[in-house]
């Protein structure tokens, strides 16, 4: 009996010692990731910012299917080929239908003595056309029902209560205005403030035949004031948008897991952007793509090979949201693979403090444990259940049930900093902070490593 007790005690002691060694190794990996990125002498110091700046400066905005986008995809692929991953590849989406903007304008005639050009941007896929008419301002869909807008241009000047409340006017507003008899639509930019810079985005183009544009927050308020004092407002809208056939590609790379290579952790962002300014797409979502790529690169540079496969993706076509975009293509062609989790960064790259997760209770508890055990030292330990959703990751999750993860970053509840520049000419390298981008690289690399190298079965619920 005494001999058995000694054996049991020895077994327990060895198990505790082994666990202690493994925990120490994990802590050292997280510290190594941090040192590789934060050390000014290391190759990864500010490399996310520098790499993003190169693409933004060299290729400009990356509208889906455009030559700029194709060139940026090819350059990204060639760049990744030099990074030494186990596998690098492109996946062509086949023939796609895209859209190019053409010349466009909004001119204010009345009540001005002389015509005045207003800052504007056509909504995505808005029809080509020219309309000149009196403007009627409404503040809600309910108010639209109460006013006679037949033969007029409707201007939506809604109250900002976050992106979800405003985007309904951008997407559905033109359709409802035309159903009420309007011959054109202007919407207040979907933002808290616009600093005289209009915000674009998709609208329900299939169901409209007249131009639909965004104007600045400031000009929407100005037109509203004019109408409230009883002044007649007349504007002319011109748009020349055209659809055309083209193609595009997703870009992928991965580090194969040494023990469970068929269990995949997917991470990335969307490489396409809108076309508003000379640098549009720096933050949305070039930054998200690059911090995920750098996270994979730092793991590879350190020789870290986790138990499970970590795969990077630069999705193509998120902004236009078509049925054959990159996220849909990936879900169709890879949906039968065993995805453990899908991570997306698409709300900016300010300083991270944790992660949102949408998963079952046991998986959420596992990720919470790993983050609080190992990420406190880098300030990214907070986990927010049921808050892991994003657009491209959501397409895979909807079709396969894959858990979702995203990075929680410094901003207010409505993400006002992000949406001030969202889909505008202001989305530029001026927004990006090299230290914050480094912190995102560290946090993303760390959480993906922790899950990928977890020594045990990953809960399915």
């Amino acid at each position: 009996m005494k001999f058995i007790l000694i054996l049991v005690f020895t077994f327990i002691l060895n198990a505790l010692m082994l666990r202690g060694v493994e925990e120490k190794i994990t802590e050292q990996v997280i510290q190594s990731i941090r040192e590789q990125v934060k050390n000014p002498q290391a190759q990864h110091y500010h490399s996310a910012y520098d790499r993003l700046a190169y693409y933004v400066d060299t290729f400009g905005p990356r509208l889906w299917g455009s030559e700029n986008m194709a060139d940026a995809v090819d350059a990204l692929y060639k760049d990744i080929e030099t990074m030494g991953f186990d596998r690098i590849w492109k996946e062509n989406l086949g023939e796609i239908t895209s859209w190019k903007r053409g010349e466009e304008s909004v001119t204010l005639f009345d009540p001005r003595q002389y015509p005045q050009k207003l800052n504007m941007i056509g909504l995505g896929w808005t029809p080509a056309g020219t309309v000149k008419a009196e403007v009627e301002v409404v503040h809600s869909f309910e108010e639209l029902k109460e006013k006679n807008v037949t033969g007029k241009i409707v201007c939506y000047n809604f109250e900002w209560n976050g992106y979800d409340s405003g985007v309904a006017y951008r997407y559905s507003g033109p359709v409802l205005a035309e159903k009420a008899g309007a011959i054109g639509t202007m919407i207040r930019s979907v933002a808290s403030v616009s600093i005289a810079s209009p915000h674009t985005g998709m609208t329900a183009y299939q169901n409209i035949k007249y131009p639909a544009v965004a104007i600045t927050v400031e000009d929407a308020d100005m037109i509203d004031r004019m109408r409230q004092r009883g002044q007649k407002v007349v504007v002319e809208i011109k748009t020349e948008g055209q659809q055309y056939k083209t193609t595009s590609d997703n870009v992928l790379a991965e580090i194969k897991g040494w023990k469970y290579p068929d269990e995949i952790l997917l991470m990335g962002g969307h490489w396409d952007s809108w076309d508003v300014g000379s640098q549009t797409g720096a933050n949305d979502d070039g930054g998200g793509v690059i911090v995920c790529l750098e996270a994979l690169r730092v793991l590879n540079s350190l020789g870290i090979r986790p138990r499970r496969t970590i795969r990077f993706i630069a999705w193509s076509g998120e902004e236009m949201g078509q049925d054959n975009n990159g996220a849909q293509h990936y879900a169709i062609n890879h949906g039968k693979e065993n995805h453990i989790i899908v991570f997306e960064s698409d709300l900016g790259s300010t300083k991270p403090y944790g992660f949102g997760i949408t998963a079952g209770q046991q998986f959420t508890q596992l990720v919470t444990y790993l983050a609080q055990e190992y990420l406190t030292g880098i300030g990214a330990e907070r986990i927010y259940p049921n808050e892991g959703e994003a657009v491209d990751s959501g397409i895979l999750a909807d079709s396969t049930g894959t858990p979702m993860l995203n990075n929680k970053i410094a901003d207010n509840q409505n993400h006002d900093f992000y949406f001030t520049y969202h889909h505008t000419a202001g989305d530029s390298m001026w927004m990006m902070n090299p230290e914050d981008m480094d912190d995102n690289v560290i946090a993303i690399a760390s959480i993906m490593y922790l899950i990928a190298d977890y020594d045990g079965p990953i809960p399915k619920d």
Side-chain angles (χ1 to χ4, degrees), residues 30-256:
I30 304 302
Q31 183 62 27
S32 296
I33 292 170
R34 187 184 185 283
E35 289 175 355
Q36 276 291 313
V37 178
K38 299 301 278 189
N39 182 354
Q41 307 305 317
Q43 63 166 313
H44 295 280
Y45 179 71
H46 290 179
S47 62
Y49 178 91
D50 292 341
R51 178 165 274 107
L52 176 63
Y54 166 77
Y55 285 107
V56 170
D57 296 347
T58 305
F59 301 101
R62 305 174 300 278
L63 197 65
W64 194 43
S66 67
E67 291 184 5
N68 282 12
M69 175 63 175
D71 290 345
V73 165
D74 289 343
L76 181 66
Y77 177 74
K78 290 177 182 177
D79 193 9
I80 295 173
E81 280 188 311
T82 69
M83 296 179 184
F85 298 125
D86 294 330
R87 187 183 177 202
I88 308 104
W89 72 105
K90 289 194 294 186
E91 293 184 352
N92 185 260
L93 309 185
E95 185 180 77
I96 65 172
T97 302
S98 191
W99 176 85
K100 53 187 176 182
R101 185 172 301 283
E103 297 295 322
E104 56 187 19
S105 64
V106 170
T107 305
L108 174 65
F109 285 91
D110 292 337
R112 294 289 172 88
Q113 184 177 0
Y114 303 103
Q116 171 76 57
K117 295 287 187 183
L118 301 183
N119 290 345
M120 57 77 67
I121 192 77
L123 299 182
W125 293 53
T126 186
T130 300
V131 294
K132 183 178 180 180
E134 187 176 344
V135 176
E136 189 61 76
V137 176
V138 299
H139 305 90
S140 66
F141 292 136
E142 289 71 24
E143 188 177 352
L144 176 67
K145 299 175 184 177
E146 299 169 358
K147 290 192 174 182
N148 180 8
V149 298
T150 301
K152 297 181 180 180
I153 293 170
V154 167
C155 176
Y156 288 101
N157 191 27
F158 53 86
E159 182 180 358
W160 170 259
N161 287 309
Y163 184 72
D164 289 344
S165 66
V167 77
Y169 291 94
R170 190 189 76 203
Y171 190 78
S172 301
V175 174
L176 295 177
E178 289 191 18
K179 285 183 177 179
I183 60 170
T185 306
M186 300 186 298
I187 68 159
R188 170 195 179 106
S189 286
V190 183
S192 53
V193 295
S194 63
I195 320 176
S197 181
H199 297 226
T200 192
M202 286 299 291
T203 191
Y205 65 94
Q206 305 97 325
N207 302 311
I208 61 175
K209 59 181 180 179
Y210 296 110
V213 304
I215 59 175
T216 67
V217 170
E218 296 89 340
D219 283 343
D221 285 345
M222 176 186 71
I223 292 172
D224 200 349
R225 293 192 301 271
M226 290 173 174
R227 291 297 298 128
Q228 287 182 29
R229 66 174 69 99
Q231 291 175 299
K232 180 181 178 180
V233 179
V234 175
V235 305
E236 180 184 71
I237 305 175
K238 291 183 178 181
T239 56
E240 295 182 353
Q242 293 182 346
Q243 297 179 24
Y244 66 101
K245 300 295 184 181
T246 183
T247 192
S248 193
D249 303 89
N250 289 337
V251 180
L252 303 97
E254 66 185 21
I255 298 173
K256 280 285 187 184

Side-chain angles (χ1 to χ4, degrees), residues 434-456:
E435 292 292 335
D436 288 349
M437 292 188 72
D438 283 352
D439 288 338
N440 275 275
V441 172
I442 295 166
I444 295 167
S446 298
I447 193 66
M448 297 301 280
Y449 164 75
L450 289 171
I451 300 171
D453 203 53
Y454 178 68
D455 187 15

Side-chain angles (χ1 to χ4, degrees), residues 318-340:
E318 186 267 356
E319 294 293 8
M320 292 188 180
Q322 300 301 297
D323 290 340
N324 59 342
N325 70 3
Q328 296 283 358
H329 184 277
Y330 183 89
I332 290 170
N333 288 279
H334 297 274
K336 292 183 179 180
E337 297 176 0
N338 185 9
H339 289 87
I340 300 302

